[in-house]
Amino acid sequence: MGVDALVRKVLEDVGIRKERYDLQWASAAEAPRFVQLITGFTERMKELGPLGEAEGLSQEEIKAKLEKALAVVSDQKVRVSFGNAAKAVRKDAVWTPEHIDEVVTTKMAKTLDKALA
């Protein structure tokens, strides 16, 4: 719940285009949907070009930003904050992606800012 909101936020905050990440679900019975999802994502990545190109970053800069993003999502305080955001979503019982994104963003803002500093 909300993991995709957290990943998008962290990628955006470290300077990697959020379009490079997409989490969608398809069951084994949804082969046409799976093909559509993969084809669409592949086309978007072709349009953006190699990782770093659309962001205007060198390979060294991209590597450093990805390492920073990994450190942020691995941080214990960030993980606890995410757990608290997940509890808030469950309490609200509003399951729209927009609501989950808003809760994750607002509940985790201070923690993410400190982790990214």
Side-chain angles (χ1 to χ4, degrees), residues 64-82:
K65 289 181 177 294
L66 289 173
E67 287 172 353
K68 180 66 174 180
L70 179 60
V72 167
V73 297
S74 299
D75 183 87
Q76 183 176 4
K77 290 180 182 178
V78 170
R79 293 169 58 189
V80 168
S81 180
F82 181 75

Side-chain angles (χ1 to χ4, degrees), residues 91-113:
K91 181 181 176 189
D92 294 345
V94 178
W95 307 107
T96 65
E98 297 80 15
H99 179 73
I100 293 169
D101 286 356
E102 181 182 335
V103 171
V104 167
T105 300
T106 56
K107 294 281 186 189
M108 297 190 69
K110 289 179 185 177
T111 306
L112 286 174
D113 286 346

Side-chain angles (χ1 to χ4, degrees), residues 22-47:
D22 192 14
L23 178 63
Q24 299 287 328
W25 299 101
S27 76
E30 295 178 292
R33 175 173 160 70
F34 178 77
V35 170
Q36 180 184 27
L37 292 171
I38 296 301
T39 302
F41 185 77
T42 301
E43 289 301 316
R44 285 193 307 278
M45 293 309 103
K46 285 180 183 177
E47 289 172 12

